[in-house]
Amino acid sequence: ARINTIVKDVLDLSRGAARPQIFLLQPWLEQALAQYRESHPERQASLFCTPTLWARFDPHQLQQVLFNLLDNAWLHGQRHEQPPKVHVSARALYQQGGALEVSDDGPGVPTDAVEQLFEPFFTTATQGTGLGLYLARELCTYNQAKLTYHRGDEGGAMFRITFVAPASATSLS
């Protein structure tokens, strides 16, 4: 099933299958995180979101990206056998753009791996396919968004999706 999902995602990418919608981000994030917790009840991420922030993105594809980033934070953010603290935040970044960030307090990405993070088939995990971050970045690109990695202010990893955030649902013509 996992391989079928990956193949379907790759095929959808090759067809440019993004169907962006405009939606208020906070309720969408609350619902997405609740769905994530249904599959992973032991994983509790904190959330901060500017209540009036809108996004223009394919909601299904944004969920795929978010879940991949959350999985990575939980799998790679562990330090000294302690579960990581994972935080999701969304805020306005500029006049009509926002940022959705997933961060953890773990060791961060090794310096020698940063350049290859978004390359297909690059993985540091024994069970990974190396396609997760590559597909996440491509899904962002198809939605006129950008996925980047940043070292956290106090260590850890932070992945930022920078996206179009119209002021309201009526701002696009």
Side-chain angles (χ1 to χ4, degrees), residues 56-77:
R56 182 183 179 278
F57 214 105
D58 180 311
H60 175 70
Q61 291 180 353
L62 184 56
Q63 181 176 325
Q64 288 179 280
V65 173
L66 177 63
F67 285 11
N68 177 269
L69 296 177
L70 288 169
D71 285 345
N72 283 346
W74 288 104
L75 295 173
H76 300 289

Side-chain angles (χ1 to χ4, degrees), residues 65 68-70 72-73 76 87-89 99-104 108-109 114 117-118 133 136 146-152 156-162:
V65 173
N68 177 269
L69 296 177
L70 288 169
N72 283 346
H76 300 289
H87 183 67
V88 177
S89 64
L100 172 59
E101 300 169 343
V102 176
S103 58
D104 64 64
V109 175
V114 171
L117 264 182
F118 298 103
L133 286 175
K146 185 176 182 180
L147 177 61
T148 53
Y149 166 76
H150 304 269
R151 184 120 179 104
M158 191 264 286
F159 286 87
R160 175 182 293 149
I161 303 167
T162 309

Side-chain angles (χ1 to χ4, degrees), residues 23-30 47-55 88-92 98-99 163 165-169:
F23 55 94
L24 196 56
L25 198 54
Q26 183 173 1
W28 182 90
L29 274 171
E30 289 169 353
L47 171 65
F48 168 79
C49 182
T50 302
T52 56
L53 185 61
W54 292 82
V88 177
S89 64
R91 61 190 167 81
F163 56 89
S168 72

Side-chain angles (χ1 to χ4, degrees), residues 89-144:
S89 64
R91 61 190 167 81
L93 196 59
Y94 47 93
Q95 188 171 357
Q96 286 202 317
L100 172 59
E101 300 169 343
V102 176
S103 58
D104 64 64
D105 66 343
V109 175
T111 306
D112 60 340
V114 171
E115 291 288 322
Q116 298 169 295
L117 264 182
F118 298 103
E119 295 295 320
F121 306 111
F122 175 77
T123 183
T124 59
T126 56
Q127 295 180 326
T129 62
L131 289 174
L133 286 175
Y134 168 74
L135 290 173
R137 184 190 65 185
E138 293 300 306
L139 289 171
C140 286
T141 300
Y142 280 115
N143 284 276
Q144 298 176 332

Side-chain angles (χ1 to χ4, degrees), residues 1-9 68 75 127-132:
R2 184 175 176 206
I3 291 172
N4 283 340
T5 299
I6 291 169
V7 170
K8 181 187 175 304
D9 289 344
N68 177 269
L75 295 173
Q127 295 180 326
T129 62
L131 289 174

